[in-house]
Amino acid sequence: QVYLVESGGGLVQAGDSLRLSCAASGRPVGGYTMAWFRRAPGKEREFVAGITWNGGQTNYADAAKGRFIISRDNTKSMIYLQMNSLKPEDTAMYFCALSWQAIVTIPIMPNEYDYWGPGTQVTVSS
């Protein structure tokens, strides 16, 4: 069993930056792909950014490219999402996820991830 918990969300203004963190516990997680997803009210959960086991590869949704940076620190069992130049359309609940099967690949579909945190809310005002 792996437990994930996100933190760092909050209310910010457009153009501001925010850094999300996800702490993992229960089992070692340094050997697996992890990712950030988000879900806006009334919308489906969507992929934001993913990172392979050692951070060697990353992948970003088009909406995140150039603004968001995903990283991880396996010694701390943490992943991060640095969010810059935030826009109102970034408003969503953000979730971190771990894929038990993926190590060197980065799936973008939610059903390819096995463990999820409860989410942290990000709200960006205009």
Side-chain angles (χ1 to χ4, degrees):
Q1 189 68 248
V2 176
Y3 301 93
L4 306 175
V5 60
E6 305 90 343
S7 63
L11 174 62
V12 298
Q13 297 179 0
D16 284 353
S17 296
L18 205 57
R19 188 193 192 211
L20 306 184
S21 299
C22 175
S25 62
R27 300 286 184 182
V29 297
Y32 304 95
T33 290
M34 296 184 71
W36 289 94
F37 288 78
R38 67 186 183 187
R39 187 185 69 229
K43 299 182 179 180
E44 64 185 17
R45 189 171 301 194
E46 67 175 349
F47 175 83
V48 177
I51 187 166
T52 52
W53 73 278
N54 64 349
Q57 299 291 333
T58 59
N59 190 27
Y60 297 91
D62 287 343
K65 290 180 180 177
R67 297 190 299 125
F68 295 180
I69 302 172
I70 188 171
S71 61
R72 70 191 298 164
D73 185 343
N74 289 339
T75 66
K76 299 180 179 179
S77 295
M78 300 282 290
I79 68 166
Y80 308 94
L81 185 67
Q82 178 66 44
M83 308 166 68
N84 301 314
S85 300
L86 284 163
K87 305 174 181 179
E89 50 263 47
D90 294 318
T91 295
M93 184 73 74
Y94 284 72
F95 303 88
C96 67
L98 179 148
S99 174
W100 198 246
Q101 294 81 29
I103 300 173
V104 296
T105 60
I106 305 175
I108 63 172
M109 297 300 296
N111 61 9
E112 297 194 59
Y113 289 81
D114 303 289
Y115 301 97
W116 297 83
T120 185
Q121 178 68 37
V122 173
T123 302
V124 185
S125 63
S126 61

